[in-house]
Amino acid sequence: MCGIAGYVGSKNAVEVAYDQLKRLEYRGYDSAGIAMQTPDGIRVVKKAGTLNHLRAELDAHPLEASCAIGHSRWATHGGPTDANAHPHFDFDQTIAVLHNGIIENYLELRDELVAKGHTFRSQTDTEIAAHVIGLEYSQGGSLLEAVRRAVKRFRGAYALVIISNRESETIVAVRQASPLVVGLGEGENLLASDIPALLPYTREVIALEEGHLVELTRDRVRLVDADGRELPIVSKHIDWDVESAERGGYDHFMRKEIHEQPQVIRQCLAGRITPEDGVRLEGTFSDNVWAEIDRVNIIACGTAYHAGLMGKHLFEKLLRLPTDVYYASEFRYGDPVLSQKSLAIFVSQSGETADTLAALKLCKKNRIRTLGIVNVVGSSIARECDRTIATQAGPEISVASTKAYTAQVIVLSLLALHIAQVQETPGLRVEEWAQALRDLPELASQVLELEDEVISIAEKLVDMPLCFFLGRGADAYVGYEGALKLKEVAYIPTQESPAGEMKHGPLALVEEGVVSVFGATEPFTFDKVVSNMKEVQARAGTVLGITCDSTGTIAKAADLTLMFSPSRFDFLNALLSVIPMQLLAYHLARLRGCSIDQPRNLAKSVTVE
Ligand code: AGP
């Protein structure tokens, strides 16, 4: 999500750290900062906005240092402001800390620190972490030991990098579920969140493992595990060019982002499911507002619209809350019926989509409560909505949205459970839902293991002239998203439809060579789905079933099947079924030689109407 840089050696560490951050710009960010060791203690220079803003600040106060750490932030807790930018000091400015990831229990830790009289300059979980580490460090011992003790109190995903004004030319870092790499140089050593920031200086790289800590000086790298045991230094020679390094070794950002989804689900859930298995959504409306809401309108475009359909399915099924989903471009000209007790939810990855923003302004003019579900925290839609929930999916580079869709559906699920808790919806098993959501990243990883089977199916279907995406209930909605992916990147015509609608017209399009992809994850619909499959096959159509049905009912009826292990909730199985559809679209586009990350005619953010 964010960029991390660090250097200790004979070069000007401030300029090296800045250069490293420049090489991580492609990841997206909304503020940046550098901390450096100087004879007068640690200096921190940080600014909201692009690196140019930081550059201007650095030029206004030129500084030399032999040890510096840098960070480019993708806002999650707290907006993109100078105060929220990293690095952050501890209570007495003995240490400076920067961080990637989310400290889930930061609110509990903050309460403890406030009780001890601590005050804070920012709204970030990182500053809380800095104070916890600083307190440990004040007990004596090395910075490495203080960090090792402190992180035992953190829950969540984090890569933390720390310097102190007591240990000259020393950088300490720790990795837990958020990547960190160390670069070994001659008389210098570096670290970064991502390999591209190391390559101009060294190709000898160590990828930190879970829970491991590292201490860097210019001549030495020490690795220890969470118990403080010394570990051997084993580096890997990286022969990627810079461009493929930016894609993490993947050929395209789209495939990288499809494979990031297990981690994205974890990030999206981080801090939002309590230890007691409840849901805790910060920064939304107060409970009395949720108790009053009697209708929800979800407004979005494209993939975000498809995520909204999944929200409708859940709000109506779980909460019995009437929910409509509108294309933003239609909503704003459709003179919609709006009630003061309704809630308008705007789903948007970029937060800059012109149609969605216009619909938002129409709702605000009518004094309708507005909630954003947005990936880019500092974006226009995020700022304009009364409340905003960040999807925390990290920057999505590929025009075809994949991980953002999954994160949007996860946030809508959390919102449904949050409302259910407030409205005390009878018979809702929030604890079971919370556990099922916790289990989802592992299930998503297992679905990704189907990729080789998807590739062999894509090779069979590469010349299909038309592809249906069919399903019932949530499976129909996921099919709409699968169809959009295939259109967008492989330029294959698609026809998406509820399976039951086929005989009302679309069936006329079925003939030999036409393929129908059926999502089938809701057992009570399987009999009807099998009938629809036979309808298609009777007209020489080919059927691909994407299912978690272990009874074999679907696999027996389909010509081709992709089978995955189920979650305990059908709705989450429908969501998991989007992953094979994303992979199918990607590999068909690859086989057809399409421009995958920048498809023809399309833009990542449609800021025109
Ligand atoms: C999805 O793959 C497309 N890139 C497009 O439909 C996109 O979802 C739509 O333009 C909405 O974008 P937003 O989520 O940034 O508002």
Side-chain angles (χ1 to χ4, degrees):
M1 284 161 77
C2 315
I4 286 180
Y7 175 84
V8 55
S10 53
K11 298 184 178 75
N12 178 351
V14 176
E15 291 308 322
V16 173
Y18 181 82
D19 172 62
Q20 287 180 282
L21 293 178
K22 285 294 280 180
R23 296 173 188 280
L24 297 173
E25 269 199 307
Y26 67 90
R27 297 164 62 107
Y29 64 98
D30 45 45
S31 63
I34 292 177
M36 63 216 76
Q37 290 180 329
T38 76
D40 307 326
I42 296 172
R43 284 291 308 283
V44 170
V45 180
K46 57 185 187 176
K47 288 297 281 180
T50 66
L51 281 171
N52 294 335
H53 295 86
L54 178 63
R55 178 78 265 168
E57 204 67 18
L58 291 169
D59 292 347
H61 312 282
L63 280 163
E64 292 257 336
S66 55
C67 177
I69 57 176
H71 187 263
S72 49
R73 178 174 181 251
W74 175 275
T76 52
H77 293 92
T81 62
D82 294 0
N84 286 337
H86 301 198
H88 290 278
F89 281 117
D90 65 331
F91 58 98
D92 66 0
Q93 303 204 358
T94 300
I95 64 173
V97 178
L98 56 82
H99 165 222
N100 267 4
I102 292 158
I103 309 283
E104 291 182 18
N105 57 326
Y106 80 101
L107 293 174
E108 298 150 37
L109 296 168
R110 186 184 63 190
D111 296 346
E112 283 175 31
L113 292 164
V114 167
K116 289 178 178 149
H118 287 235
T119 57
F120 302 100
R121 302 172 183 87
S122 79
Q123 305 156 288
T124 65
D125 53 344
T126 308
E127 192 180 10
I128 304 301
H131 281 235
V132 173
I133 295 169
L135 273 181
E136 283 295 343
Y137 197 35
S138 66
Q139 310 300 315
S142 71
L143 181 61
L144 178 66
E145 265 310 293
V147 174
R148 192 179 67 78
R149 291 195 306 270
V151 296
K152 292 185 184 302
R153 306 205 53 213
F154 298 159
R155 271 205 325 271
Y158 49 82
L160 290 159
V161 180
I162 307 98
I163 56 174
S164 85
N165 59 15
R166 284 190 352 220
E167 296 176 45
S168 170
E169 292 202 355
T170 301
I171 300 174
V172 169
V174 58
R175 180 249 159 100
Q176 182 66 40
S178 206
L180 256 185
V181 286
V182 173
L184 305 180
E186 297 295 322
E188 61 184 23
N189 287 303
L190 305 96
L191 60 76
S193 46
D194 219 341
I195 287 172
L198 300 177
L199 293 185
Y201 305 93
T202 177
R203 287 184 172 272
E204 292 308 310
V205 171
I206 303 168
L208 280 195
E209 292 180 28
E210 288 305 313
H212 288 184
L213 299 97
V214 67
E215 180 187 76
L216 300 186
T217 63
R218 65 168 67 202
D219 300 314
R220 191 181 64 158
V221 172
R222 268 184 76 203
L223 267 184
V224 297
D225 65 16
D227 299 321
R229 281 189 293 264
E230 298 286 340
L231 298 165
I233 302 293
V234 179
S235 66
K236 201 165 69 167
H237 183 81
I238 300 293
D239 50 16
W240 292 339
D241 60 41
V242 174
E243 206 185 79
S244 68
E246 289 179 350
R247 293 190 298 266
Y250 289 100
D251 292 337
H252 299 97
F253 279 108
M254 181 179 178
R255 182 158 177 261
K256 175 173 181 276
E257 290 157 2
I258 291 170
H259 281 265
E260 282 176 345
Q261 290 179 111
Q263 178 60 17
V264 164
I265 295 170
R266 283 190 197 93
Q267 283 164 203
C268 192
L269 293 172
R272 294 168 168 170
I273 292 182
T274 66
E276 302 73 40
D277 276 344
V279 169
R280 177 174 183 170
L281 276 182
E282 291 293 309
T284 61
F285 297 104
S286 60
D287 288 357
N288 63 302
V289 168
W290 288 120
E292 183 189 282
I293 299 288
D294 64 2
R295 165 169 289 283
V296 173
N297 293 318
I298 302 175
I299 301 144
C301 301
T303 286
Y305 171 86
H306 297 148
L309 291 171
M310 294 292 274
K312 168 187 171 67
H313 183 83
L314 207 53
F315 287 0
E316 294 191 338
K317 203 173 175 74
L318 278 192
L319 309 175
R320 313 310 292 160
L321 186 56
T323 302
D324 284 320
V325 189
Y326 293 87
Y327 285 113
S329 55
E330 286 300 301
F331 180 84
R332 53 185 304 213
Y333 297 114
D335 192 15
V337 176
L338 298 172
S339 89
Q340 292 308 310
K341 286 189 177 175
S342 70
L343 170 69
I345 299 179
F346 297 88
V347 184
S348 176
Q349 190 285 131
S350 64
E352 299 299 346
T353 301
D355 285 322
T356 309
L357 194 52
L360 167 54
K361 288 177 176 165
L362 175 65
C363 285
K364 288 182 69 100
K365 201 171 83 181
N366 287 279
R367 301 166 52 78
I368 303 296
R369 287 189 187 93
T370 56
L371 172 70
I373 295 179
V374 183
N375 200 35
V376 183
V377 173
S379 59
S380 306
I381 291 170
R383 290 197 307 271
E384 286 280 329
C385 282
D386 298 326
R387 298 289 190 280
T388 294
I389 305 172
T391 44
Q392 297 175 168
E396 188 175 66
I397 311 290
S398 184
V399 167
S401 185
T402 52
K403 64 177 186 173
Y405 169 81
T406 306
Q408 288 160 357
V409 175
I410 295 288
V411 169
L412 284 161
S413 307
L414 289 168
L415 184 57
L417 296 172
H418 179 91
I419 297 171
Q421 285 173 168
V422 172
Q423 294 185 348
E424 296 177 347
T425 306
L428 192 86
R429 300 123 59 194
V430 177
E431 301 73 21
E432 283 186 54
W433 271 96
Q435 192 50 55
L437 286 167
R438 277 209 188 90
D439 297 340
L440 207 58
E442 177 49 37
L443 289 173
S445 297
Q446 290 172 20
V447 179
L448 286 166
E449 288 166 15
L450 289 173
E451 185 161 27
D452 288 343
E453 291 177 56
V454 171
I455 291 170
S456 61
I457 288 174
E459 286 161 355
K460 294 187 178 83
L461 307 183
V462 66
D463 296 321
M464 62 181 165
L466 170 67
C467 187
F468 276 83
F469 283 81
L470 303 168
R472 289 173 178 262
D475 289 322
Y477 294 152
V478 172
Y480 296 173
E481 175 55 16
L484 178 59
K485 291 289 93 54
L486 193 60
K487 284 188 189 78
E488 271 193 295
V489 295
Y491 313 151
I492 293 175
T494 66
Q495 170 75 36
E496 53 274 19
S497 160
E501 271 301 295
M502 282 293 279
K503 52 190 168 303
H504 298 288
L507 195 59
L509 291 174
V510 175
E511 59 184 349
E512 185 161 1
V514 171
V515 175
S516 293
V517 177
F518 280 82
T521 65
E522 297 187 317
F524 74 94
T525 67
F526 284 173
D527 290 347
K528 289 285 184 289
V529 167
V530 168
S531 314
N532 294 138
M533 288 178 165
K534 297 201 176 313
E535 270 175 358
V536 165
Q537 289 163 327
R539 279 95 182 160
T542 303
V543 168
L544 164 60
I546 298 179
T547 183
C548 55
D549 163 34
S550 56
T551 68
T553 305
I554 297 298
K556 271 202 285 289
D559 301 305
L560 301 162
T561 304
L562 289 167
M563 174 82 77
F564 61 88
S565 302
S567 165
R568 71 183 76 179
F569 289 104
D570 296 339
F571 178 80
L572 298 179
N573 291 325
L575 175 58
L576 288 170
S577 71
V578 79
I579 296 174
M581 294 180 194
Q582 295 166 342
L583 289 170
L584 183 65
Y586 172 80
H587 286 291
L588 280 167
R590 176 180 57 80
L591 292 168
R592 290 165 66 108
C594 298
S595 156
I596 293 174
D597 284 332
Q598 285 87 27
R600 65 186 181 197
N601 312 337
L602 301 180
K604 181 59 184 169
S605 178
V606 183
T607 54
V608 293
E609 296 179 21

